Amino acid sequence: MRTLVITGGTDGMGRALARTYLERGDTVAVVGRDAAKALPGAVFIQADLSLVRENRRVIEEVNARFPVVDALVLCARFFRTHRFVTEEGLEGTFALDYLSRFLLSHGLTAPRTIVNVSGPGQPDGRIHWGDLMLERSYDGMTAQFQAGKANDLLGVAFAARHGARTGYVLIHPGGVSTSVAGEYDAATAAHVAALKRYGVPVEEGIKPIVARIDDPPAAPLTAYLRDRPIRLSPDPRAAERLYERTLELIGPRGGPI
């Protein structure tokens, strides 16, 4: 029997993954905001993962309760058409879609595999080094693409430090008909509705993720578009630069990371 920790495990693909492994008899810890959405049998950890302090609390709880984590699966995300700033002063998409994944990846005690369900290899993704919080140039898609690029660099920096013990998998599931949680303007909402109509069912959409969990790649870092391996070519210097900048953003290192 294995132990999995799934963020965003109360909706969409995260919920479907949680159900799949609970039905197999595995131990599944789900991190989310709404306890009413937790699946029976799952260990529910309530948290707002857009907050650094909440991630640190989750890390402490998981490390205390589960000495071995076979797979950490990072699914939590939320699209915002309009810029949102957390109570810690961080842009919301960057905080939830990247910083939470950074904290959990580096903070859990030696998970055997990390599967980061993001958008690896997007050509439009770039880091806005002079404006990481997008105060001057916010757009919902710009924020999403920056978070996707940041997760690519997270994978590179993590593999350089921990690749000998933990495999890091970045995966784009393709078009999947899920709830696509977010706050949308009319134009974006119409686009999301089209994605839901033409995306594959959730049960089909999770299959490439299940395959990576069940049979983890041997390489320290891999990336996939559904089942197809894709090549990442990020600059290791950029990965290190973002790693150091991230440590500055999340505050003193007296916590779990």
Side-chain angles (χ1 to χ4, degrees):
M1 189 170 72
R2 291 178 295 182
T3 298
L4 294 88
V5 176
I6 304 174
T7 69
T10 56
D11 286 293
M13 287 187 292
R15 183 180 178 86
L17 288 165
R19 181 184 295 111
T20 295
Y21 287 96
L22 285 169
E23 290 174 351
R24 294 185 184 183
D26 293 320
T27 299
V28 179
V30 166
V31 186
R33 299 187 66 165
D34 189 350
K37 293 183 178 181
L39 289 166
V43 176
F44 181 71
I45 301 174
Q46 192 166 34
D48 177 355
L49 292 178
S50 68
L51 298 174
V52 171
R53 67 173 182 271
E54 289 279 272
N55 282 275
R56 286 186 162 140
R57 178 177 58 78
V58 169
I59 290 165
E60 290 175 350
E61 182 170 345
V62 170
N63 286 341
R65 295 181 68 171
F66 306 108
V68 175
V69 172
D70 294 281
L72 168 64
V73 188
L74 302 166
C75 295
R77 65 184 302 177
F78 192 89
F79 183 93
R80 293 184 185 277
T81 295
H82 304 102
R83 187 173 181 270
F84 169 78
V85 178
T86 72
E87 60 189 67
E88 295 175 333
L90 300 168
E91 189 274 307
T93 299
F94 194 82
L96 177 62
D97 291 19
Y98 166 65
L99 287 179
S100 170
R101 297 173 188 229
F102 177 97
L103 284 156
L104 292 166
S105 294
H106 287 283
L108 292 199
T109 303
R112 291 173 176 168
T113 304
I114 298 175
V115 180
N116 188 335
V117 184
S118 55
Q122 291 288 339
D124 293 327
R126 73 181 183 90
I127 305 298
H128 298 255
W129 295 108
D131 187 21
L132 279 179
M133 297 300 106
L134 301 178
E135 296 179 75
R136 299 189 297 274
S137 56
Y138 185 86
D139 172 86
M141 291 307 300
T142 299
Q144 287 276 296
F145 283 135
Q146 174 171 253
K149 181 66 172 180
N151 279 296
D152 286 1
L153 297 176
L154 164 58
V156 173
F158 184 92
R161 287 168 171 79
H162 308 297
R165 62 167 173 78
T166 300
Y168 207 96
V169 181
L170 296 159
I171 187 165
H172 190 320
V176 182
S177 183
T178 71
S179 59
V180 196
E183 172 268 306
Y184 303 101
D185 61 15
T188 310
H191 178 66
V192 169
L195 290 177
K196 291 181 184 179
R197 283 197 303 272
Y198 298 112
V200 301
V202 173
E203 293 72 18
E204 182 69 23
I206 66 170
K207 287 182 178 179
I209 304 170
V210 170
R212 304 288 81 77
I213 297 170
D214 289 352
D215 186 19
L221 175 64
T222 52
Y224 294 83
L225 175 56
R226 289 193 57 78
D227 288 310
R228 179 171 61 85
I230 60 176
R231 187 178 183 86
L232 292 178
S233 55
D235 183 350
R237 292 171 299 180
E240 287 303 305
R241 181 182 180 186
L242 184 61
Y243 178 86
E244 294 298 332
R245 184 71 183 97
T246 302
L247 293 182
E248 295 172 5
L249 286 170
I250 62 178
R253 298 184 66 181
I257 184 170

